[in-house]
Amino acid sequence: MKFTFDIKSPQQQYIQITAEIKATGKETTVYFPAWRPGRYELGDFAKNVNHFQIFNGDGSALKYQKANKNTWIVQTEGCKTITVKYSYYATDLNAGSTFLDASQLYVNPVNCCLFTDESYNDPITVILNIPKSWKVAHSLKVKENSFTAANYDELADSPFICSAQLQKSTYEVDGTTFYIWFNGIVKPDWKRLENDFKAFTESQIKAFSKFPTDEYHFLIQILPYQTYHGVEHSKSTVITLGPSYAVFEEMYKELLGVSSHELYHTWNVKSIRPSEMVPYNFKKENYSELGYIAEGVTTYMGDLMLFKSGVFNLDQYLLEMNKQIQKHMDNFGRFNYSVADSSFDTWLDGYVAGAPGRKVSIYTEGCLLAFILDIQLLKYTDNQKNLDDVMRSMYLNFGARGKGVTEKDYQNEIEKLTGVSMQWYFDDYVHGTKAYTTLLIDCLEYIGIEYKNEPVESDFGAYLGAKIMEVNNETVIAALYPGGALDISGAMIGDKVISINEMAITNNADRWAKFYRREDKEIVINRKGALVNLHLTASKNEYYQRYFLKPAPSLDKDHIDAFDVWRNV
């Protein structure tokens, strides 16, 4: 196959793409990808296609019929090749999108490059008709604005940025060259950045024993507005971060966090891949229950590697763990739906919160379960083995050999180290909804970390059981604590708080709630235009809590030994 990219009118944000594909029979079926790696939900990229045309080798138009939203059946009898011409609307700028304006052409090929079964494994050439002043950031070798991919899988996994604003630096670890590319308005502190990136890279390679590829590219889009996103690829990652002025100041820890997370994905999910995704099937959903490994273990290890490498101190690391515990405790879906089922259902409702209390996050639950497993491994092996050993074995025995993994493979690798059955872990916590707060606290204590909680600062949250937010100067109930005071009184998500005990609410709901904390309350709410009175009886009950971790004030030798092995000292 051959793809040519033209950008004739970038202000219109349409990329003109020409695909030349071999044809071998009476009919050729052309597909547009239905999803992209790193985002296990349907993407429906074909919705951005315009001016779709198909021709044979002599330029004559061919007949075709659209079979479904991302599939075309082309009449190709007597044709050796076909040429497909179309425009792709590229207006979204995030870590997994395709974008065009006067300053850059940024492409995730899996968004906008079609394929056929017959040519899927053929070599692919890409030609870029871009301004001479533009550089190209890419994990494949670029020569005179063209590059080749071994097959469609490699093309789909190789995003690129073409821009005159690109800045680059490199560092090397164990024979692998790592490139850091910035695009956008940014003033990199290269020395600080290279030192920190090299440190967490060394820790990750040490954990796995070797790096999967001979080079790696951090493709970082710096934007002038608030954003945070990263997507993993085999030889690169794309990261979007902003605003520009904050990247090397208050958002620097986010830059480190997302970069470490995405680098860890090079092993975990790009190499250690669920068997349901070997190979990828871009025509439809690739259902898997292993999101708690792919994203959960990566979330845990991405931050832990920053701590192990010394880039984060213990307080900085615990702050990130605090966030995961807070998300876990605030999501009551943990009582209703397992992390394995939630992984399967990313294809159903994507990564949005969805129906309240229905599901959990594969990132948060997977992260905490990975921590619990890490500490259980320490306990069972007298502080000799941890989760690093499991993941290294998973990589060497499966990922490096191109073999997909199953949950049973994961369990077997764990039990080789523990020497005992870990079925309880999978039954109760991965596929079950058993509360694990007590187990989590025990694991934290094992390495000398104290778990604390206290009521949140918001009186509505702490004592009435509702999270509120200000929207257009109106106080809106955004979440309800099941069985909380407002839930029992009949409040609903979306209700607007009008008054408390006849006092009008004007961006001061928490202050009035605190004023009347230990008294009966009459609350008037606006529910879609109707005024509703709610009566709340005085109570000392507490609902939403704030959770935080801190080092224990003193540790005995056993705790110190466990902590040192956990940190890999």
Side-chain angles (χ1 to χ4, degrees):
M1 283 195 286
K2 178 181 177 181
F3 290 94
T4 302
F5 286 76
D6 287 288
I7 50 173
K8 298 172 183 177
S9 301
Q11 76 280 4
Q12 296 178 0
Q13 296 193 282
Y14 270 108
I15 306 168
Q16 292 76 44
I17 301 174
T18 301
E20 299 173 44
I21 310 170
K22 72 179 181 184
T24 58
K26 294 182 179 180
E27 290 184 342
T28 299
T29 304
V30 176
Y31 302 94
F32 231 77
W35 63 284
R36 63 170 178 79
R39 193 75 171 181
Y40 308 115
E41 65 179 358
L42 290 174
D44 293 336
F45 305 120
K47 67 180 180 291
N48 295 319
V49 172
N50 197 1
H51 304 119
F52 190 81
Q53 305 171 78
I54 305 178
F55 305 92
N56 66 12
D58 64 10
S60 301
L62 291 173
K63 293 182 179 181
Y64 63 88
Q65 182 176 3
K66 195 167 187 177
N68 58 42
K69 60 185 177 181
N70 64 317
T71 306
W72 295 262
I73 299 174
V74 188
Q75 302 303 312
T76 55
E77 185 171 8
C79 299
K80 293 184 179 180
T81 63
I82 60 172
T83 299
V84 185
K85 294 186 176 184
Y86 55 97
S87 297
Y88 187 85
Y89 190 50
T91 188
D92 294 329
L93 182 48
N94 58 56
S97 66
T98 292
F99 180 80
L100 173 67
D101 68 6
S103 70
Q104 69 167 308
L105 169 65
Y106 158 51
V107 175
N108 272 277
V110 73
N111 297 162
C112 58
C113 291
L114 45 74
F115 64 92
T116 67
D117 289 332
E118 295 84 354
S119 60
Y120 192 91
N121 292 311
D122 291 347
I124 299 172
T125 299
V126 175
I127 306 297
L128 304 173
N129 292 327
I130 57 177
K132 292 182 179 180
S133 61
W134 285 11
K135 302 174 185 176
V136 182
H138 202 306
S139 61
L140 299 178
K141 302 300 182 185
V142 179
K143 184 178 181 180
E144 296 180 353
N145 292 343
S146 70
F147 60 88
T148 59
N151 49 42
Y152 189 85
D153 262 341
E154 185 173 43
L155 177 68
D157 206 29
S158 303
F160 57 89
I161 303 171
C162 310
S163 171
Q165 292 183 311
L166 284 165
Q167 302 179 59
K168 179 183 70 173
S169 184
T170 65
Y171 63 95
E172 188 171 311
V173 178
D174 290 351
T176 298
T177 302
F178 294 82
Y179 297 80
I180 307 173
W181 296 88
F182 282 108
N183 185 51
I185 299 172
V186 61
K187 298 176 181 178
D189 183 344
W190 287 116
K191 184 176 180 180
R192 179 187 183 193
L193 189 74
E194 291 164 15
N195 287 339
D196 288 341
F197 271 50
K198 188 172 184 178
F200 72 68
T201 301
E202 288 174 341
S203 290
Q204 294 195 21
I205 292 177
K206 178 183 177 182
F208 282 102
S209 75
K210 62 180 181 179
F211 196 72
T213 63
D214 59 353
E215 65 180 55
Y216 187 86
H217 296 252
F218 294 92
L219 307 175
I220 306 173
Q221 294 269 21
I222 302 299
L223 304 176
Y225 49 84
Q226 184 75 34
T227 187
Y228 174 92
H229 189 208
V231 175
E232 69 274 9
H233 301 280
S234 294
K235 297 176 68 175
S236 66
T237 177
V238 179
I239 293 166
T240 53
L241 199 64
S244 302
Y245 55 77
V247 170
F248 282 89
E249 295 185 23
E250 64 267 30
M251 288 196 71
Y252 185 63
K253 62 182 177 60
E254 278 75 23
L255 173 59
L256 295 173
V258 68
S259 299
S260 181
H261 177 106
E262 300 305 335
L263 184 64
Y264 196 88
H265 268 314
T266 313
W267 292 275
N268 189 28
V269 94
K270 298 312 299 183
S271 295
I272 306 168
R273 193 187 300 179
S275 59
E276 297 90 344
M277 298 182 184
V278 179
Y280 287 137
N281 182 351
F282 290 116
K283 301 174 187 176
K284 61 180 183 179
E285 301 93 334
N286 290 197
Y287 293 103
S288 172
E289 293 184 336
L290 302 190
Y292 69 94
I293 301 175
E295 294 296 353
V297 171
T298 301
T299 298
Y300 171 62
M301 283 296 191
D303 288 334
L304 186 60
M305 287 297 173
L306 291 171
F307 177 49
K308 288 185 175 186
S309 64
V311 175
F312 276 4
N313 60 32
L314 181 57
D315 288 340
Q316 289 172 313
Y317 172 74
L318 293 181
L319 182 61
E320 298 308 310
M321 279 293 283
N322 286 346
K323 295 176 183 177
Q324 300 300 337
I325 292 174
Q326 191 71 54
K327 291 176 184 176
H328 166 74
M329 297 302 291
D330 285 352
N331 184 355
F332 301 102
R334 57 194 163 95
F335 298 120
N336 305 318
Y337 217 47
S338 74
V339 67
D341 288 334
S342 297
S343 173
F344 194 93
D345 276 10
T346 60
W347 296 96
L348 176 64
D349 54 7
Y351 292 71
V352 298
R358 195 188 82 83
K359 64 174 185 177
V360 294
S361 164
I362 58 176
Y363 295 83
T364 296
E365 304 306 309
C367 171
L368 296 180
L369 287 176
F371 167 73
I372 288 170
L373 178 60
D374 201 8
I375 305 307
Q376 293 300 312
L377 285 160
L378 289 175
K379 288 183 175 181
Y380 282 120
T381 63
D382 195 24
N383 297 333
Q384 297 301 306
K385 301 292 183 179
N386 58 18
L387 189 53
D388 281 341
D389 296 285
V390 173
M391 297 307 292
R392 179 169 57 253
S393 184
M394 291 278 283
Y395 171 64
L396 295 175
N397 294 330
F398 296 92
R401 299 180 182 183
K403 295 171 59 178
V405 301
T406 65
E407 183 171 274
K408 196 62 181 176
D409 296 325
Y410 187 52
Q411 184 174 347
N412 287 342
E413 294 297 332
I414 294 168
E415 291 176 350
K416 285 179 187 178
L417 298 181
T418 63
V420 299
S421 172
M422 295 293 290
Q423 194 62 48
W424 60 270
Y425 174 83
F426 293 92
D427 288 347
D428 292 345
Y429 303 113
V430 173
H431 291 278
T433 57
K434 185 174 181 179
Y436 54 75
T437 304
T438 301
L439 180 58
L440 178 64
I441 294 172
D442 288 344
C443 289
L444 289 165
E445 289 180 349
Y446 187 77
I447 56 172
I449 304 298
E450 290 185 348
Y451 170 101
K452 302 287 185 180
N453 64 284
E454 63 186 21
V456 296
E457 292 183 1
S458 164
D459 253 61
F460 254 80
Y463 304 105
L464 299 182
K467 291 186 178 182
I468 56 175
M469 57 190 300
E470 301 299 329
V471 180
N472 297 327
N473 292 319
E474 294 180 313
T475 301
V476 181
I477 295 177
L480 288 165
Y481 194 102
L486 275 166
D487 180 37
I488 293 174
S489 73
M492 296 172 61
I493 293 174
D495 284 351
K496 300 172 184 177
V497 182
I498 302 300
S499 66
I500 300 177
N501 289 353
E502 299 183 345
M503 296 294 107
I505 298 303
T506 53
N507 297 326
N508 54 5
D510 272 320
R511 295 298 300 272
W512 281 116
K514 183 178 180 180
F515 186 77
Y516 291 116
R517 181 184 294 176
R518 300 307 180 196
E519 302 175 31
D520 289 359
K521 284 172 279 294
E522 300 294 332
I523 298 180
V524 178
I525 57 96
N526 179 339
R527 181 174 296 161
K528 297 181 179 180
L531 295 181
V532 179
N533 296 305
L534 305 177
H535 175 76
L536 282 74
T537 303
S539 169
K540 294 183 179 181
N541 292 338
E542 295 177 356
Y543 302 107
Y544 284 107
Q545 300 285 303
R546 181 176 78 91
Y547 302 87
F548 54 96
L549 308 176
K550 65 177 184 178
S554 61
L555 297 177
D556 58 26
K557 183 179 183 302
D558 289 340
H559 284 104
I560 293 172
D561 288 346
F563 180 87
D564 286 347
V565 176
W566 173 65
R567 189 188 169 180
N568 204 28
V569 174

